[in-house]
Amino acid sequence: MKNLIRVLGVLLLLMKGGTTSAQQQIAIETEKISLVFTVGTNGRLYQSYLGKKLSAPSKALLSPGNGEAYVPSGGDNLFEPAVRMIHADGNPSLELVYESHAVKNEGGNTTTSIVLKDMVYPVKVVLHFSAFSKENVLKEWVEISHTEKAPVQLTHFASSMLHFKADDYWLTQFHGDWAEEMHISETKLTSGIKIIDSKLGTRANMYQTPAFALATNRPATEEEGEVLLGTLAWTGNFQFAFEVDEKQQLRIVSGMNPFASEYTLETKKNFTTPAFIFTYSDMGKGQASRNFHAWGRNHGVLNGNKERMTLLNNWEATQFDFDEKKLIALFGEAKELGVDMFLLDDGWFGNKYPRHSDNAGLGDWDANKKILTNGVSALVKGANEKGVKFGIWIEPEMVNPKSELYEKHPDWVLKLPNRKEHYFRNQLVLDLINPQVQDFVYKLVDDLLTTNPGIAYIKWDCNRMMTNTYSPFLKNKQSQVYIDYVKGFYAVMERIRKKYPALPIMLCSGGGGRTDYGALQYFTEFWPSDNTDAVERIFIQWGYSYFFPANTIAAHITSWGKQPLKFRTDVAMMGRLGYDINLAHLSETDIAFSKAAVKKYKELSPVIGQGDLFRLIAPTMDGRAALMYVDSLKQKAVLFAYTLHPRYGENWSAVKLKGLDPLKKYLVNETNIYPGANPSLSENGKTFTGEYLMENGLMVSQSNALSSAVIELTEVK
């Protein structure tokens, strides 16, 4: 009977005003990309095309194709599904057909919503696609709902399913560990499934990053090849499944990790997936990255088009050993250095259990009265009197068992009953699913800002993943912990941003454990790694540059590496510049250089933070690296060149520049030179056409290990 109903339903759709009888097409397009779906004669929705923008006559020639847009489980599908539902009557299947679609135009960008429905059960699945026209970026997310008489179970819930047909597929993934973030690996996909995922809960991308690049037919270079860059806007467990079938067809299923995450969906409620964000380029990885950067600044990151503050952090100078007097002295150093802000790191709180190390005090957010006699407000005032702003570190999602908070609310912690507590960094995760815990976290931030209204910046840390995970609040719905925790985190951030919409907040997670556009809608920048060795940072920041604009990548000068101060400074200048170094250990000449570097960075930061990035020489190639930023009018550019560890007798060719106007003339000026040193660039002070610089290049690579150069290019009228 149900099969008969399904057949009749499809026939009715086909008879509805020609809705599907002409194989209706739905095109989602930007200035340069087309994603085309076709409604088949069976009522199902198929992906017909994804690639370079097609003309209307070309789109009309497309067939439905074999790739169903959002493949359900339980029917005739033989491969990885996008969605799986167990109905109230126990039936574990869906059969989705096209019902309708609508398009909204918002300032030149469009959002297309395609409604699919099951012909037997009262279930709807809406595929949403936002097309950002100028940035050439697409965003897809899904809403699932039903009106069955009892709840249903969702066991799979992808944000996106994309299909490809090519001779070969080359996957670039980004992975690592603490202090080893963003290692880049490129492999050829073979028959079967490759999965990139996370099961860590909070510090979710500690090992695997929720982002990838896919090249078809052959590996893509910076300037050549077809490539898709994609990332999931989700601050929790994720999964990318890449499945190559027996016909050499590839489907990519992207979304939250379904592992241990079966979700109960009540009747008349919506289940909304996070967004999968992607771009396509037929001009290599470089153009795809620039698409992402433009989208990130305009739509993905809080205040992405605003300037960022330079800062001095106290951690390396003091660690936990400080008091009010010592900190106020550092304010003067920040002022002398010329940075915008002083950032107070960990160790300022806790009274019954003072925060003298990482084993106590976390969760007790009252200023330590012994070391901060006059409280945080005195520090804010002292910094402002010195002419710098004041920022502060917090880790509000975590708690030490040795804390007053834990003593009062042991039920606020994620931990298994009848099992021994498991600690990482001597701490546990608060149950942010619990509305009382959400109120607590919001209140601690709100109290900190209202009682100290001059606080200008927050560093928000999250130093552990989830283990031995169990939510006392969820009780018999433990499979929803991983999803509902992230929802709780976002709910807190929504409240904070409603009251404090512009406050700069750094997203930190024991290094790069959280680097995703799901969180960055609430944060202004992120901490890419605790590893601040300048050589390592070239590789780490290079990896992040595929998806994130430079003004979101916090880069600090520290003493971790033993490289020359100039080298460390030049590396930090290609991101959001900061200092976390004991200035007392620097010579007068070092201080003079650093002051000039801060001043120069502020002059160049509009180009670095808002300009187009061109990666010229990858650090993995031959012991050197080079990249440059070019402003939108092609009037100003900044080139960074780094020599790492060259082979003896290495003779490098000139580095060809990119992104300039070939008809314009540019003055070449090496800047950020250490006092007493001469420019390393033989072409320094000369003027060249953009064409010459892009075809002939500059001899920017030096023969000395751990040397670097910053080159300013300015249009000459």
Side-chain angles (χ1 to χ4, degrees), residues 32-34 50-52 136-138 162 164 166 168-174 186 211-230 242 250 252 276-292 546-547 615:
K32 296 182 179 179
I33 301 172
S34 290
L50 170 58
K52 187 176 180 179
N136 292 297
V137 167
L138 301 175
L162 296 176
F164 300 85
D168 293 300
Y169 308 100
W170 294 87
L171 174 68
T172 302
Q173 66 183 99
F174 304 83
E186 186 170 40
F212 66 87
L214 178 82
T216 53
N217 296 313
R218 60 188 173 91
T221 67
E222 283 293 311
E223 296 182 306
E224 296 180 338
E226 292 186 87
V227 63
L228 179 131
L229 260 60
F242 305 86
L250 169 67
I252 302 176
F276 177 66
I277 305 158
F278 61 102
T279 186
Y280 163 86
S281 166
D282 62 350
M283 299 171 62
K285 294 177 181 177
Q287 185 57 56
S289 289
R290 290 187 287 277
N291 293 350
F292 249 107
Y546 284 93
F547 299 92
R615 292 180 292 263

Side-chain angles (χ1 to χ4, degrees), residues 300-528:
V301 182
L302 186 70
N303 297 329
N305 290 301
K306 300 282 182 68
E307 285 294 301
R308 270 43 177 168
M309 290 187 286
T310 54
L311 61 85
L312 173 65
N313 192 333
N314 70 297
W315 182 250
E316 193 166 295
T318 69
Q319 296 200 12
F320 288 107
D321 182 20
F322 59 82
D323 57 19
E324 187 175 299
K325 182 178 179 181
K326 187 180 286 188
L327 293 176
I328 288 175
L330 293 177
F331 299 162
E333 294 184 1
K335 176 63 177 177
E336 182 186 5
L337 189 59
V339 295
D340 302 303
M341 181 181 64
F342 175 86
L343 174 60
L344 174 60
D345 216 295
D346 195 358
W348 58 270
F349 50 90
N351 286 288
K352 182 178 179 181
Y353 301 103
R355 180 74 167 175
H356 297 317
S357 69
D358 67 5
N359 68 356
L362 200 59
D364 301 341
W365 298 101
D366 295 317
N368 185 317
K369 294 175 183 176
K370 289 185 178 179
I371 62 173
L372 301 183
T373 313
N374 298 295
V376 173
S377 59
L379 298 179
V380 176
K381 181 180 178 183
N384 292 340
E385 287 175 350
K386 290 290 186 180
V388 293
K389 295 179 180 180
F390 182 84
I392 197 165
W393 177 96
I394 57 175
E395 191 175 2
E397 300 167 69
M398 304 289 159
V399 63
N400 286 128
K402 196 174 179 180
S403 67
E404 292 184 79
L405 178 64
Y406 184 82
E407 289 176 346
K408 294 175 183 175
H409 299 288
D411 58 322
W412 281 11
V413 174
L414 294 176
K415 60 178 181 178
L416 284 168
N418 306 318
R419 300 286 184 190
K420 187 178 179 180
E421 290 181 352
H422 177 258
Y423 305 132
F424 184 86
R425 274 190 56 141
N426 304 302
Q427 62 195 58
L428 295 164
V429 182
L430 289 174
D431 186 0
L432 213 54
I433 303 164
N434 187 334
Q436 288 182 295
V437 178
Q438 293 179 28
D439 291 342
F440 167 80
V441 174
Y442 171 77
K443 187 175 185 300
L444 82 85
V445 176
D446 187 43
D447 286 350
L448 188 63
L449 295 172
T450 53
T451 56
N452 309 285
I455 289 177
Y457 181 97
I458 285 177
K459 178 181 177 182
W460 183 301
D461 214 338
C462 172
N463 274 303
R464 70 155 294 169
M465 69 297 291
M466 291 182 186
T467 55
N468 291 32
T469 305
Y470 179 94
S471 165
F473 179 79
L474 278 180
K475 296 178 182 176
N476 63 347
K477 292 185 178 179
Q478 293 304 311
S479 64
Q480 297 183 188
V481 169
Y482 292 120
I483 294 174
D484 285 351
Y485 183 93
V486 181
K487 290 182 177 181
F489 172 54
Y490 290 166
V492 171
M493 296 311 303
E494 287 282 351
R495 291 171 67 184
I496 291 171
R497 282 309 179 191
K498 187 173 182 180
K499 187 169 183 181
Y500 305 99
L503 177 74
I505 306 181
M506 178 201 286
L507 177 65
C508 182
S509 186
R514 280 178 166 175
T515 52
D516 65 89
Y517 279 112
L520 283 172
Q521 62 186 313
Y522 307 111
F523 292 80
T524 47
E525 59 194 51
F526 66 90
W527 184 238

Side-chain angles (χ1 to χ4, degrees), residues 465-661:
M465 69 297 291
M466 291 182 186
T467 55
N468 291 32
T469 305
Y470 179 94
S471 165
F473 179 79
L474 278 180
K475 296 178 182 176
N476 63 347
K477 292 185 178 179
Q478 293 304 311
S479 64
Q480 297 183 188
V481 169
Y482 292 120
I483 294 174
D484 285 351
Y485 183 93
V486 181
K487 290 182 177 181
F489 172 54
Y490 290 166
V492 171
M493 296 311 303
E494 287 282 351
R495 291 171 67 184
I496 291 171
R497 282 309 179 191
K498 187 173 182 180
K499 187 169 183 181
Y500 305 99
L503 177 74
I505 306 181
M506 178 201 286
L507 177 65
C508 182
S509 186
R514 280 178 166 175
T515 52
D516 65 89
Y517 279 112
L520 283 172
Q521 62 186 313
Y522 307 111
F523 292 80
T524 47
E525 59 194 51
F526 66 90
W527 184 238
S529 178
D530 282 346
N531 187 343
T532 51
D533 178 289
V535 171
E536 295 293 331
R537 269 305 187 100
I538 290 173
F539 289 86
I540 291 168
Q541 292 168 205
W542 193 277
Y544 283 116
S545 77
Y546 284 93
F547 299 92
F548 301 103
N551 65 348
T552 66
I553 303 171
H556 291 185
I557 298 153
T558 76
S559 62
W560 183 318
K562 302 303 179 184
Q563 303 91 5
L565 179 63
K566 171 179 165 52
F567 185 87
R568 285 177 277 159
T569 304
D570 289 352
V571 171
M573 284 180 70
M574 67 166 160
R576 194 277 292 138
L577 178 67
Y579 287 78
D580 188 353
I581 194 168
N582 192 337
L583 298 181
H585 293 169
L586 301 183
S587 67
E588 289 186 8
T589 309
D590 286 342
I591 294 292
F593 166 75
S594 298
K595 289 167 64 175
V598 171
K599 184 178 179 181
K600 175 53 66 174
Y601 176 79
K602 289 182 177 181
E603 293 175 13
L604 300 178
S605 62
V607 182
I608 297 168
Q610 304 294 327
D612 287 332
L613 168 65
F614 294 85
R615 292 180 292 263
L616 307 176
I617 305 289
T620 53
M621 290 177 63
D622 57 1
R624 60 175 176 162
L627 70 161
M628 63 186 291
Y629 301 91
V630 183
D631 75 359
S632 60
L633 298 177
K634 301 183 185 297
Q635 296 174 342
K636 190 87 171 176
V638 185
L639 167 65
F640 293 93
Y642 308 104
T643 300
L644 306 179
H645 298 286
R647 298 285 305 274
Y648 178 79
E650 185 79 68
N651 290 306
W652 279 314
S653 59
V655 174
K656 294 182 179 181
L657 279 55
K658 303 295 177 188
L660 302 174
D661 186 328

